[in-house]
Amino acid sequence: MVAVIQCTDRVGLVAAIANVMAINGMNILSMREHVELGSSMFFSRLELSGEAAADIITTQLQQVLPTDAIVQVNPLPQKRIAVLVTKEYHCLGDILLRHHFNTLGASVQCVIGNHALLGDICGRFGIPFHHVPHDGIGKEQFEQNLLTTLLAYQFDYIVLAKFMRILSPAFTAHFPLRIINIHHSFLPAFIGASPYKQAFDRGVKLIGATAHYVTSDLDEGPIIAQQIIPVNHNFTAKDMVHAGREIETAVLARALSLLLADRVFVHNNKTIVFE
C-alpha cells in the first residue's frame, strides 16, 4: 500500500501520520518527506504493509492533518495510459515492450496516431490503434475527433510518445496534469522545430531530453525527468538524432516509472520527485 500526502506544513505532522499507522497496525516500510520552505508545503510518500482498509487510513489521516490536506491511499493499483503518436517509433516501442512484459507499471489502453504508420506494431502487441488524421481539417475539428476517440477509454494519463502536434489550451484543459510529453531537448534550450539541427549548428557539447507535464504554456509544464549525454565535433546532425532517440526513450521511461509509482508531486510549476 502507498500513501501520498500534500498539505500545509506544521510541527508534528510526521508524528501524527506515524500514529495513524500504528493505531491501524500498519508497518511503515519507507517514508519520504519534503518541505518547500518558501510556501511551507509538506509532501510525503509512505510505503506500508498491513491489513487496514485504504478508506479508513485516508479518513483518519484527513482528521489529523491540516484542512487543506490532499491524501491518497492506494493498494498499488495498476494505472492505465493512452498513448498518442505520430511517426517515430522508438518511445512507443519501448512502452509496448514494457507493457508486454508487465514492467511498465500501467496497462496501455490504446494508441492513437495522426498517421497510420505505427498501427502495425500496435497490432503485433494486441493494443488497439486508432488513426485520427489531421490533414484536410481544422485544428479544432481534429482535436474534437481526438477527444472523442480518447473518451471511449478509461485512463489515468495520456502519454505523448513523440506526438508531433501542438495541443491547444482548450484540449489540455480536459486533462489537467494528466498529459505527459517527451521533449527532444534539454529544456528550456532549443525548443521548437529541428532541435538537433539547432544544436548541431550551435556546436553544443551536450544534448538531452525532458519529460514534463503538458500545460497551456507550450513546453513550460512542470518537469518530471531530464537527462543529458556528451557529444563532440565527430557527431554529425544524424548522429545527434540517433543519440537523441536513445535518450528520449530512457527519459520517458524514467518519468513514467516515477509517475506511475506515485512518486511525483506537482507544486506550482515544479515537481517534487521521491526517487
Side-chain angles (χ1 to χ4, degrees), residues 135-146:
D135 294 328
I137 60 174
K139 182 172 185 175
E140 184 176 350
Q141 184 60 57
F142 167 68
E143 290 190 345
Q144 182 57 55
N145 295 343
L146 187 61

Side-chain angles (χ1 to χ4, degrees), residues 81-82 109-112 128-130 148-155:
I81 64 172
Q109 301 300 293
C110 68
V111 177
I112 303 172
F129 177 85
H130 300 275
T148 299
T149 306
L150 277 167
L151 293 181
Y153 294 90
Q154 293 184 330
F155 52 85

Side-chain angles (χ1 to χ4, degrees), residues 12-165:
L13 287 181
V14 172
I17 293 167
N19 188 54
V20 168
M21 301 309 164
I23 289 172
N24 287 278
M26 300 296 291
N27 187 31
I28 300 176
L29 304 177
S30 171
M31 183 174 182
R32 301 284 302 278
E33 64 273 346
H34 171 75
V35 176
E36 282 285 287
L37 296 179
S39 58
S40 294
M41 291 298 296
F42 172 86
F43 304 87
S44 185
R45 179 184 185 275
L46 298 89
E47 293 185 7
L48 309 162
S49 67
E51 301 298 325
D55 57 344
I56 293 175
I57 296 292
T58 301
T59 299
Q60 293 188 9
L61 284 173
Q62 289 172 331
Q63 290 171 347
V64 300
L65 295 174
T67 55
D68 66 344
I70 300 172
V71 179
Q72 293 178 298
V73 180
N74 305 309
L76 292 176
Q78 180 84 343
K79 304 291 194 303
R80 299 162 297 186
I81 64 172
V83 184
L84 304 189
V85 297
T86 295
K87 293 182 178 180
E88 295 187 59
Y89 62 85
H90 52 289
C91 289
L92 174 64
D94 184 70
I95 288 171
L96 293 178
L97 196 62
R98 292 173 188 271
H99 168 87
H100 181 75
F101 287 104
N102 296 317
T103 60
L104 180 62
S107 60
V108 179
Q109 301 300 293
C110 68
V111 177
I112 303 172
N114 61 313
H115 291 272
L117 183 66
L118 300 179
D120 179 64
I121 187 174
C122 294
R124 292 168 185 256
F125 283 91
I127 301 298
F129 177 85
H130 300 275
H131 178 209
V132 179
H134 67 276
D135 294 328
I137 60 174
K139 182 172 185 175
E140 184 176 350
Q141 184 60 57
F142 167 68
E143 290 190 345
Q144 182 57 55
N145 295 343
L146 187 61
L147 185 63
T148 299
T149 306
L150 277 167
L151 293 181
Y153 294 90
Q154 293 184 330
F155 52 85
D156 299 288
Y157 296 102
I158 299 171
V159 180
L160 308 186
K162 302 300 293 181
F163 181 65
M164 308 306 289
R165 303 291 297 177

